Amino acid sequence: GIITFNCFAGAAIATQVFHAATPGGMIAAIAPEPRDIFWPNLRLSQPTRATRRVIANILVVLLLIFYVVPVTLISLVLSEQAILARWPSMAKAANNSILIAIGLKMLQPAGLILLMLLLPPLFLGLGFWEGQLSWSSNTLAQLSRYYSFQITNVLLVTTVAGSLVKCLQRIIEHPKDTLTLLAQSLPQVCAFFFLVIFLLKLLVVFLSNCVVVLLLVNTL
């Protein structure tokens, strides 16, 4: 529930003292602003929110494991080396046109970004189902979960898969040199991350301009 105070000192004291004989029996915290509260979740009991939080975290872990598959497939199918190996004629076209060469390099980052863009709205809805009481707390939970996906799937999985594509044939021929070959090809994946950051920056600028235009239209 929400309790209001007539002075700030009373509210500050209420958040710093025990309100039950059992530690943790009642937890008091400063309430968010009314516009920030997700009012339907106030009806959920503490045990219900705790149970849903456990279920939500399990779902996030399962999704994190499942996402390794499409991220790896994107690295294996849409990488520049994989495309040129499948269609050798594209190498000549890329040599003759810088636009085609840039397009080949950006296919894999673009595919990965589109795949990762499916996660934020999913995490936002999962947070509200979990029982988050405010938009701000749900946004923080969303960013935390999205960050774990970025580190695991974008950084680790893509790096390993990208390095594997570059030296897969040599690994098959010389399996004992697997670690050495991966270490040699690993620095070559850095260009991929530069392209990911570049495309994300373009996306942010585009969305920001769209928001500005919508705000200007609404004010007219």
Side-chain angles (χ1 to χ4, degrees):
I2 298 176
I3 302 175
T4 57
F5 292 82
N6 294 326
C7 62
F8 179 77
I13 293 173
T15 60
Q16 299 177 25
V17 299
F18 290 108
H19 299 276
T22 304
M26 179 182 294
I27 301 174
I30 297 177
E33 295 184 11
R35 62 181 178 178
D36 189 31
I37 297 175
F38 190 71
W39 295 97
N41 281 352
L42 290 179
R43 298 193 297 265
L44 298 176
S45 64
Q46 189 67 25
T48 300
R49 284 203 295 268
T51 302
R52 290 190 177 189
R53 188 176 300 112
V54 172
I55 296 174
N57 289 332
I58 292 174
L59 291 176
V60 169
V61 172
L62 293 177
L63 187 61
L64 181 66
I65 297 173
F66 168 77
Y67 242 62
V68 172
V69 177
V71 170
T72 304
L73 288 177
I74 288 176
S75 300
L76 296 177
V77 175
L78 294 183
S79 65
E80 182 181 7
Q81 291 77 13
I83 293 175
L84 293 179
R86 192 176 298 108
W87 295 291
S89 59
M90 292 295 295
K92 183 178 180 180
N95 292 330
N96 295 331
S97 174
I98 188 173
L99 293 178
I100 296 178
I102 294 175
L104 286 175
K105 294 181 181 298
M106 287 191 172
L107 274 178
Q108 181 186 356
L112 183 60
I113 290 174
L114 291 176
L115 182 65
M116 298 303 291
L117 285 178
L118 300 176
L119 294 173
L122 178 62
F123 289 154
L124 191 67
L126 185 63
F128 283 131
W129 176 85
E130 173 188 342
Q132 296 289 344
L133 297 178
S134 65
W135 286 89
S136 57
S137 63
N138 193 18
T139 302
L140 290 175
Q142 176 194 40
L143 290 175
S144 176
R145 288 164 175 168
Y146 189 67
Y147 178 75
S148 65
F149 271 74
Q150 293 275 26
I151 292 296
T152 303
N153 289 311
V154 177
L155 181 60
L156 299 179
V157 175
T158 303
T159 301
V160 174
S163 303
L164 189 63
V165 169
K166 294 178 181 296
C167 57
L168 182 60
Q169 185 61 37
R170 287 183 291 170
I171 290 176
I172 295 175
E173 296 173 355
H174 307 283
K176 294 182 179 180
D177 300 331
T178 299
L179 295 179
T180 303
L181 294 173
L182 287 176
Q184 292 174 351
S185 62
L186 189 61
Q188 303 175 18
V189 189
C190 64
F192 165 80
F193 294 104
F194 284 116
L195 290 175
V196 169
I197 295 173
F198 176 73
L199 291 177
L200 284 175
K201 182 64 176 178
L202 289 180
L203 182 62
V204 169
V205 171
F206 173 75
L207 293 178
S208 301
N209 291 332
C210 290
V211 171
V212 171
V213 170
L214 290 176
L215 292 175
L216 291 176
V217 171
N218 291 331
T219 56
L220 296 178

